[in-house]
Amino acid sequence: MDKIAKKIINLPKRLLVEEPLNLYSGLRGMFHGSSKIAGLPPGSAVYTGTRKDTPFNIDLFTYNEKHLEERTNLSLEEAINMPKDGNFHWLNIEGLHHVDNIRSICEALGIHPLTMEDILSVGQRPQIDDTENYLFIALKMLQFDEEKNKTINEQVSFVLTDNLLITFQERKGDTFEAVRNRLRAGKGRIRKEGLDYLLYALVDTVVDHYFIVLEKFGDILEEIEERIMFSGQKKDFDLLYTLKRELIHIRRSVWPLREVISKLERDEIKLIRKQTRFYIRDVYDHTIQAIDSVETYRDFISSLGDLYQSVISNKLNQVMKTLTIFSVIFIPMTFIAGVYGINFENVPEFGWEYGYAYFWSLITGIAILTLAVFKFKKWI
């Protein structure tokens, strides 16, 4: 245990300090978020996340089969006073740390305080709650930052009512742009179907991005495997530890989602139509595939760790083998040199005319004979 603790403590500062979001964001949200709400009454409006730099923003998509209206930067009053005109409305809210605005929207739209607490508690596991007036879903949205080469984790919450779908996000930037483009294009069935189909499309794109993130993991692991085979440097082992931590965090996001999608498909939820459940079943299959991929990469990381240890052990064995060969060659030579280095006067070889040549021939012959034996035994 002491060796493991020292190894963790001695990890590069870059892995422990400069990239805290992709290493420990889930754990930080879980523990520090819990400390914020500990002792408060149920339904308290407390944001448990760490992102405080996102401006509060509300976007609205109002659409039907033939019409689409897209509005950005809605005021709080406009969002609260949504018209019930028979159209479908998608309200996207960014900036959960603006707690007063979130509370005002939840109170105006009839969202229960306990649901509001779940929306603001971003460190919890994915969940689903079917109430009398709305359907609430919370899940983790994963994205891969190409510039910083790290995983970004964010909780996104969905509240579905008869004529309104609300999404709550911590920050600007999400995985929903493809769905927005489908709404703008008006192709397919997304504008013909109801809001439950839009909910399915949004959840589906979140799950699809799990595969994008996992593919990045696969590419990185293949590069590490190749480097380990050729060099086996310690920085690759440290990187494996970092990836293992991230994969554990992704696993916490993906595994509970299976239960959420299963309930969404199988339970008799009045806001989810029967024809939509058929598409949700496909999302469930994708979730299972994502879980399998996570487990596969976990095993891959473990095998790469074993491979690294094997490569290092093999290198050490090669070094020991080389040193052993030199030792076996030079030990008899050292012995002979020691014998002829004594200070006795009556040593016959000292009086030989070719005694010096005899000495070198002897030790050279022993070295050649030793190498020949090693070669014959196929030890070198």
Side-chain angles (χ1 to χ4, degrees):
M1 291 298 294
D2 293 339
K3 293 182 179 180
I4 296 176
K6 290 179 180 179
K7 186 175 290 186
I8 295 174
I9 292 173
N10 293 328
L11 282 176
K13 182 179 179 181
R14 174 183 61 82
L15 301 179
L16 296 176
V17 178
E18 297 181 4
E19 298 182 1
L21 279 178
N22 57 325
L23 277 174
Y24 304 113
S25 60
L27 292 176
R28 185 171 62 241
M30 183 181 298
F31 292 107
H32 290 269
S34 299
S35 64
K36 290 181 181 180
I37 62 177
L40 296 177
S44 299
V46 178
Y47 172 62
T48 62
T50 59
R51 296 185 174 98
K52 301 293 181 67
D53 57 347
T54 302
F56 188 73
N57 180 63
I58 304 176
D59 296 332
L60 173 66
F61 275 84
T62 299
Y63 67 93
N64 54 39
E65 185 177 353
K66 299 181 180 179
H67 172 73
L68 171 69
E69 180 183 1
E70 181 179 355
R71 300 176 61 188
T72 59
N73 298 321
L74 263 71
S75 65
L76 190 61
E77 291 74 16
E78 290 175 315
I80 291 175
N81 299 312
M82 290 290 300
K84 296 183 179 180
D85 51 8
N87 292 320
F88 302 125
H89 303 278
W90 172 24
L91 203 63
N92 185 60
I93 300 172
E94 300 165 350
L96 292 184
H97 63 279
H98 299 273
V99 176
D100 292 336
N101 293 340
I102 300 297
R103 183 192 296 110
S104 299
I105 291 176
C106 291
E107 291 175 352
L109 299 179
I111 299 175
H112 197 277
L114 290 178
T115 303
M116 177 184 62
E117 180 182 345
D118 290 336
I119 293 172
L120 296 173
S121 300
V122 297
Q124 61 187 332
R125 57 183 284 157
Q127 62 172 303
I128 181 172
D129 187 14
D130 182 23
T131 68
E132 183 179 353
N133 300 321
Y134 58 84
L135 173 67
F136 170 71
I137 298 176
L139 49 81
K140 300 297 182 180
M141 181 167 56
L142 301 180
Q143 301 179 76
F144 193 85
D145 192 329
E146 296 283 354
E147 296 181 357
K148 299 181 179 181
N149 198 31
K150 68 178 182 180
T151 304
I152 300 176
N153 180 286
E154 176 188 355
Q155 175 172 298
V156 56
S157 302
F158 302 87
V159 176
L160 175 65
T161 66
D162 292 329
N163 68 330
L164 178 64
L165 174 62
I166 313 172
T167 52
F168 296 89
Q169 302 184 51
E170 293 184 74
R171 65 181 186 87
K172 189 175 183 62
D174 52 37
T175 64
F176 300 152
E177 193 59 31
V179 178
R180 294 187 181 97
N181 291 333
R182 287 163 59 188
L183 284 171
R184 295 176 183 126
K187 298 179 180 180
R189 62 178 69 240
I190 191 167
R191 278 169 55 177
K192 300 177 184 178
E193 302 290 342
L195 288 172
D196 57 341
Y197 187 88
L198 177 61
L199 173 64
Y200 145 75
L202 295 175
V203 173
D204 182 59
T205 188
V206 170
V207 175
D208 287 344
H209 271 74
Y210 288 170
F211 291 99
I212 296 177
V213 173
L214 291 172
E215 285 176 3
K216 297 294 182 180
F217 270 80
D219 295 339
I220 295 174
L221 289 175
E222 288 178 0
E223 293 176 1
I224 293 176
E225 181 184 28
E226 185 175 354
R227 290 201 301 267
I228 287 177
M229 290 298 298
F230 286 99
S231 59
Q233 299 180 7
K234 187 177 181 298
K235 64 179 181 180
D236 293 323
F237 184 78
D238 295 337
L239 183 55
L240 283 176
Y241 176 82
T242 304
L243 294 176
K244 184 177 181 180
R245 295 294 305 174
E246 285 206 23
L247 207 58
I248 290 174
H249 185 43
I250 293 176
R251 187 174 185 270
R252 291 195 188 101
S253 302
V254 178
W255 266 89
L257 183 60
R258 179 182 60 176
E259 302 174 9
V260 173
I261 304 299
S262 178
K263 291 182 179 179
L264 196 61
E265 175 201 355
R266 298 176 182 178
D267 291 0
E268 294 295 331
I269 301 175
K270 64 179 181 179
L271 292 173
I272 304 297
R273 296 171 301 164
K274 184 177 180 180
Q275 57 266 35
T276 305
R277 290 196 180 95
F278 179 80
Y279 298 100
I280 295 175
R281 189 180 309 158
D282 182 64
V283 180
Y284 180 80
D285 294 337
H286 291 172
T287 305
I288 298 299
Q289 294 176 21
I291 292 174
D292 292 340
S293 297
V294 169
E295 296 303 319
T296 299
Y297 286 131
R298 286 186 67 192
D299 295 339
F300 193 18
I301 289 177
S302 298
S303 64
L304 287 181
D306 295 338
L307 177 63
Y308 172 81
Q309 297 294 344
S310 299
V311 170
I312 295 301
S313 298
N314 185 53
K315 285 185 175 181
L316 180 60
N317 291 337
Q318 292 295 329
V319 172
M320 295 302 297
K321 178 180 178 180
T322 303
L323 293 177
T324 301
I325 292 174
F326 275 100
S327 299
V328 171
I329 293 174
F330 281 96
I331 284 175
M333 297 169 63
T334 304
F335 172 74
I336 295 173
V339 169
Y340 288 108
I342 60 179
N343 294 323
F344 296 139
E345 295 181 359
N346 298 322
V347 179
E349 290 86 350
F350 287 174
W352 293 0
E353 181 179 358
Y354 298 103
Y356 183 72
Y358 160 76
F359 170 78
W360 278 108
S361 300
L362 180 61
I363 61 175
T364 303
I366 291 175
I368 295 174
L369 178 62
T370 305
L371 288 174
V373 171
F374 273 75
K375 193 71 174 177
F376 177 77
K377 295 289 187 179
K378 297 183 179 179
W379 292 344
I380 58 175

